[in-house]
Amino acid sequence: MKINQHFYSLVPNYLFADVAKKTNAFMAAHPEKEVLRLGIGDVTLPLAPVVVDAMQKGCEDLRHRETFKGYPEYEGYDFLRERIADYYQSFGVQVSPEEIFVSDGAKSDCGNIGDIFSQDNTVLIPDPVYPVYVDANIMAGRRIIYAPSGRNNHFLAMPDRNIHADIIYLCSPNNPTGAAYNAAQLKEWVDYALENDAIILYDAAYEAFIRDDLPRSIYCIEGARECAIELCSLSKTAGFTGVRCGYTVIPRTLQREGKSLHDLWYRRQATKFNGVSWAVQCAAAEVFSAEGQRQCRQNLDYYHENALMIAHALDELGIYYTGGKNSPYIWLECPARMTGWEFFDFLLEKAAVVGTPGDGFGHCGIGYFRLTSFNTHEKTAEAVERIQRVLG
C-alpha cells in the first residue's frame, strides 16, 4: 500500500487550523480577556424564520409514511432547481433547471469538480486565493501556475496572453480580498478561456453581497456558457454554514473533446454523492421565495453595516484596503511593513482581536490581513475601537 505522495506537498496545517491554535493558546493564557473574532468567515445570525419553518415542515414530512422521502435525486429535487433558475432570471441570466446540480456546498464542489478533468491539465489560480483551490489540485497532482494580484491591479488578477492554462479558478466577489470584477474584466477572462480552450471554474459564493452594478454571475458575460462552470453556496447568503447546501451550474452546451461536461459531472455525482436531504432542500427552496429573499436580505444588510464600520475605521487610520462594499471581507495592508502573521500576533496581544493573516492565502498575501463582518454590531464596534486604539 502506498500513500498519495501529493499530500506531502501540502502545507502541514490548514490556515484556519493555525489561526484557531494560536487563538486558543492566547485565550488559555489570558482568561480575563474577551477575544473578539473577525477572522473565520462564519455567520452569526440565525436562519431566516421562513426558512426554518420550511425545514421543520420537511422534517415533519419524514415522520409520516405518505410523505416520507428516501434517497434524493443526485442533481436535486425539481422544485429547488426551478427556484434557483428563477433566481438567476431575477438578475437577467437564463439558466435551465436541468443545468443546476444541488450540492452540500461550494467548497465541496470546488474540491470535487476536478474529478472530471485530467491530471495533465495546467491550472491557473489567482494569488492571493482561497486555499481549497490550491490544495485540491495539489492533491490531484496537477501543475499550478498563479496570476498575481496586488495594489497595482486592486487585487483583481487579469489574464496573461503569454501563458496557457487549461483550468482557471475565479472568485468574485473574492475571498479573501473582497474585490469584485466588473463586466469588462470578466469578458477578458472569458475571451482568454475561449482562446485557450480552457474551463473557468467560477466561485460565486458571495454574489448576493454585490451592491454596485457588477455581474452577479459569469453567465452575464457573452461566451461564458461555452467555457464556464459556476459554483454557488447558501452558506453566507442565507446562513447555511451549519446546514450545508449549494449548487453548481454546468450548461448543456459546455463540451470538451466531444463530451458533455454536464453529463460527466452527473456521472461523477451518481457514483460519489447521494444528494442533499429532503428537509434541507425544502429550506433552500424557501430562501428563493419572495419572503425568503426579504428576510435573508435583512441579514446581509446587517453584515454590510459591520463591513462599513470596519472600512470607515480603516479610512480614518489611512490604511489601504479592498472589499467591504460588495463583500463581507475587508483586505487591508498591514501597518509598519509587518507580515500577516506578525500583525496577527500584534492584534491578538495588544487588542485581543482575531483576523486572518494574508500570508496564508498565497505569496501575494504576504503583508496583508483579512477581517470579516460576520459578528454582531456590538462586538464589531468594540473590535474596531480596539484596533483604532492600538493603531491610532
Side-chain angles (χ1 to χ4, degrees):
M1 194 284 293
K2 295 183 179 180
I3 291 174
N4 180 350
Q5 299 293 307
H6 299 303
F7 271 73
Y8 298 140
S9 298
L10 296 170
V11 294
N13 291 316
Y14 190 56
L15 168 62
F16 298 107
D18 285 336
V19 169
K21 182 178 180 180
K22 280 177 168 279
T23 301
N24 291 336
F26 177 84
M27 292 173 65
H30 302 279
E32 77 286 359
K33 293 186 178 182
E34 180 188 14
V35 173
L36 301 177
R37 298 174 184 266
L38 301 182
I40 296 177
D42 197 0
V43 294
T44 54
L45 295 174
L47 297 173
V50 69
V51 171
V52 175
D53 290 345
M55 186 180 295
Q56 290 175 332
K57 171 61 169 58
C59 289
E60 183 64 24
D61 289 341
L62 302 179
R63 182 194 295 270
H64 307 285
R65 184 186 299 272
E66 59 271 22
T67 54
F68 177 78
K69 304 290 182 182
Y71 286 123
E73 301 292 340
Y74 300 124
E75 69 273 41
Y77 288 110
D78 287 345
F79 67 86
L80 174 53
R81 297 161 80 201
E82 289 166 3
R83 284 281 183 91
I84 296 170
D86 290 343
Y87 176 67
Y88 272 98
Q89 180 63 46
S90 71
F91 50 86
V93 173
Q94 297 287 341
V95 169
S96 167
E98 289 73 29
E99 296 176 321
I100 296 167
F101 293 83
V102 177
S103 72
D104 60 354
K107 182 177 182 179
S108 296
D109 283 0
C110 282
N112 294 329
I113 194 72
D115 282 2
I116 67 173
F117 300 120
S118 168
Q119 292 181 339
D120 296 331
N121 287 309
T122 296
V123 180
L124 177 63
I125 302 177
D127 182 1
V129 66
Y130 182 44
V132 170
Y133 309 156
V134 175
D135 289 354
N137 284 285
I138 289 176
M139 292 174 186
R142 294 189 183 91
R143 175 175 176 254
I144 300 173
I145 56 178
Y146 294 94
S149 66
R151 286 191 66 167
N152 61 315
N153 56 16
H154 306 290
F155 284 96
L156 292 166
M158 297 304 295
D160 182 345
R161 255 58 182 200
N162 296 314
I163 295 174
H164 170 79
D166 302 300
I167 299 171
I168 303 158
Y169 282 80
L170 296 179
C171 178
S172 182
N174 186 267
N175 179 13
T177 70
Y181 286 109
N182 62 35
Q185 291 167 327
L186 283 181
K187 186 65 168 68
E188 285 194 46
W189 276 111
V190 167
D191 290 346
Y192 171 80
L194 292 172
E195 291 164 11
N196 284 270
D197 198 35
I199 294 294
I200 295 173
L201 301 178
Y202 190 78
D203 187 347
Y206 303 97
E207 58 81 18
F209 288 88
I210 291 176
R211 290 171 179 263
D212 290 337
D213 184 19
L214 298 170
R216 298 275 294 274
S217 165
I218 189 67
Y219 301 122
C220 294
I221 309 303
E222 182 182 0
R225 290 181 62 86
E226 309 307 320
C227 66
I229 293 172
E230 183 159 291
L231 309 99
C232 204
S233 170
L234 299 185
S235 288
K236 306 307 189 330
T237 59
F240 272 46
T241 55
V243 177
R244 308 309 306 146
C245 191
Y247 50 92
T248 290
V249 180
I250 306 182
R252 285 283 191 182
T253 54
L254 187 56
Q255 295 191 3
R256 289 297 182 271
E257 298 180 346
K259 301 293 184 181
S260 163
L261 298 190
H262 178 282
D263 292 348
L264 291 177
W265 182 241
Y266 179 86
R267 183 66 183 84
R268 186 269 175 203
Q269 293 295 79
T271 297
K272 293 189 175 184
F273 184 59
N274 264 338
V276 175
S277 72
W278 169 256
V280 168
Q281 291 197 55
C282 289
E286 203 56 39
V287 168
F288 299 104
S289 70
E291 181 59 20
Q293 285 289 287
R294 187 189 70 80
Q295 293 181 11
C296 289
R297 174 54 57 186
Q298 289 178 334
N299 286 3
L300 294 175
D301 288 345
Y302 185 96
Y303 296 132
H304 184 248
E305 291 174 15
N306 286 345
L308 292 181
M309 200 185 307
I310 298 169
H312 179 67
L314 296 177
D315 286 334
E316 290 188 341
L317 291 166
I319 294 175
Y320 170 82
Y321 66 92
T322 57
K325 186 174 184 181
N326 298 296
S327 165
Y329 300 118
I330 296 89
W331 178 257
L332 63 103
E333 189 172 39
C334 298
R337 303 182 71 84
M338 282 187 273
T339 67
W341 279 113
E342 288 171 345
F343 190 54
F344 176 91
D345 292 336
F346 174 84
L347 268 191
L348 187 58
E349 292 288 339
K350 301 296 184 182
V353 172
V354 175
T356 308
D359 307 40
F361 294 103
H363 179 77
C364 293
I366 297 173
Y368 288 86
F369 202 74
R370 193 192 75 173
L371 297 174
T372 84
S373 61
F374 294 118
N375 211 319
T376 65
H377 284 338
E378 295 75 18
K379 289 188 176 181
T380 300
E382 174 63 22
V384 165
E385 184 179 332
R386 294 185 192 181
I387 291 172
Q388 288 178 306
R389 187 163 58 243
V390 299
L391 294 181

